[in-house]
Amino acid sequence: EFSLKGTVTDTATGTPLADAEVLIPELGQSTFTDADGSYIFGLQPAGSYTLRVSKAGYLPQDVPVTITAGSVATVDVQLKTEV
C-alpha cells in the first residue's frame, strides 16, 4: 500500500528527472525518483504536509499536499533549471 505518488519533470523540456529528492519534512520521510522520474511513498498518516523536491542544477520547490486515509494522492512536480 502507498499513499503518495507522482513524477518529477523538467519545466522547459518535460523530461523526467531521475534521482531528484522528494522529502516530506514534517514526517522525516524522503525518497528519490527513479529513471522515469517517478516516486512513491508508502503508507503515511493522513494530514496536510509540504512536499519538498530538489535536484542538483534545479531550483527546489515546495508543494502542499494533503494525504487522505484510504486514498492515493498524486503530486506531479516540475522543476526549473537554475540560472
Side-chain angles (χ1 to χ4, degrees):
E1 274 191 274
F2 58 94
S3 54
L4 178 60
K5 68 174 186 168
T7 57
V8 179
T9 55
D10 182 295
T11 299
T13 65
T15 305
L17 297 177
D19 299 320
E21 183 178 20
V22 184
L23 171 70
I24 305 174
E26 297 92 339
L27 298 176
Q29 299 279 337
S30 68
T31 189
F32 289 87
T33 56
D34 63 16
D36 296 327
S38 300
Y39 69 90
I40 291 179
F41 278 97
L43 213 47
Q44 301 295 332
S48 294
Y49 303 103
T50 301
L51 202 60
R52 182 165 296 150
V53 184
S54 60
K55 179 174 172 64
Y58 289 83
L59 297 171
Q61 187 169 340
D62 288 354
V63 181
V65 59
T66 299
I67 296 175
T68 307
S71 68
V72 176
T74 300
V75 180
D76 296 329
V77 180
Q78 294 183 327
L79 294 183
K80 295 179 182 176
T81 54
E82 291 178 333
V83 177

